[in-house]
Amino acid sequence: MALQVGQSVYAQELQGSPDDSLSVNKGETPDRRRHSVGRAVWMSAVLPGLGQAYNRKWWKIPIIYAGFAGLGYAISFNAKRWNTYREAYRLRVDGDTTTIDAFVNIYSESNLVTLKNYYKRNLDLSVIFTAVLYALNIIDAAVDAHLFEFDISDDLTLRIAPAHHFSQNGNEHFTGFTLTLRL
C-alpha cells in the first residue's frame, strides 16, 4: 500500500446565487451602506468610544471612560505630589536661609530627591498608559469594524470524503481526500 501526495491544487468556482454572501452583482447598488472601518477609526480617534458606538459595541464605552478617568486621576495625583516635592527640594537647596520648605524636619534632601523622582516616574507612566489606552481604543474600533459583518451560522460543518483526482495534463491520476467546509 502506498500513500501518494500530489502537489496540484484545485478549487471550486463560485456560483453567483442570490443567497451567496460572496457573490458580487455588478451594476447593482446595495440597498444599505457597508460598514466602514475608516469611519470607525476616525470616530474613535476624534472621541474615544465613538467608534465603539458606531460598531454597536455599547458595553465597551463605560470601560474606556473608566480607564481614562482612572488614568486622569493618576496623572493629577502624581503631578501634584511631584510638584510638591520638587518645590520643597528647590527651596531646600537654593542657599537662602529665609526660605523654608514644608518638610524641613520630616525629610532629608536625599529623601526629597527620592520622592520627587518617584512621583515623576509615576506621572510619566500614567501619561504613557493613557496614550496606550487611546491607541487600544482605536485598534479595538478597527477590529470590531472589520468583523462587523462577519457571520457564523449554526451549520458549520467540515466533511472529509475520498476523491479521485487527475493531473493537469490528464495522464496521471491519484486518489486522495476532499475537505469541504460548509458555512
Side-chain angles (χ1 to χ4, degrees):
M1 217 180 231
L3 174 66
Q4 184 175 5
V5 178
Q7 54 192 45
S8 298
V9 176
Y10 301 97
Q12 296 172 292
E13 283 192 28
L14 181 63
Q15 300 297 324
S17 68
D19 296 333
D20 190 3
S21 64
L22 296 176
S23 66
V24 176
N25 298 329
K26 297 193 185 326
E28 293 182 20
T29 58
D31 56 342
R32 64 179 178 87
R33 286 174 66 164
R34 288 189 46 89
H35 199 74
S36 171
V37 175
R39 175 173 278 174
V41 167
W42 279 108
M43 290 173 92
S44 269
V46 170
L47 181 65
L50 196 57
Q52 283 72 14
Y54 175 70
N55 292 329
R56 297 185 190 129
K57 301 287 184 169
W58 306 102
W59 63 272
K60 293 182 179 183
I61 297 171
I63 295 170
I64 291 169
Y65 281 102
F68 279 119
L71 289 168
Y73 176 77
I75 289 172
S76 172
F77 178 83
N78 289 313
K80 286 178 187 175
R81 297 298 185 281
W82 176 61
N83 284 329
T84 300
Y85 292 120
R86 183 181 62 153
E87 183 63 21
Y89 180 73
R90 189 188 66 76
L91 291 174
R92 180 88 49 99
V93 296
D94 68 353
D96 187 4
T97 56
T98 60
T99 57
I100 300 173
D101 63 274
F103 307 104
V104 71
N105 291 326
I106 301 171
Y107 297 123
S108 67
E109 287 180 19
S110 65
N111 292 131
L112 288 175
V113 168
T114 302
L115 287 168
K116 177 181 70 100
N117 291 340
Y118 173 79
Y119 286 108
K120 175 63 174 162
R121 179 180 174 274
N122 287 347
L123 175 62
D124 293 343
L125 286 174
S126 299
V127 170
I128 290 169
F129 289 150
T130 303
V132 168
L133 179 62
Y134 179 75
L136 286 175
N137 157 61
I138 295 171
I139 292 168
D140 177 67
V143 169
D144 279 343
H146 274 291
L147 298 176
F148 185 79
E149 295 175 1
F150 187 73
D151 183 30
I152 297 178
S153 67
D154 292 336
D155 185 26
L156 234 168
T157 58
L158 177 66
R159 195 180 74 190
I160 302 173
H164 190 73
H165 300 284
F166 292 96
S167 65
Q168 288 181 345
N169 60 13
N171 294 337
E172 300 174 8
H173 60 331
F174 55 93
T175 303
F177 292 100
T178 300
L179 298 174
T180 306
L181 178 63
R182 179 179 211 164
L183 301 175

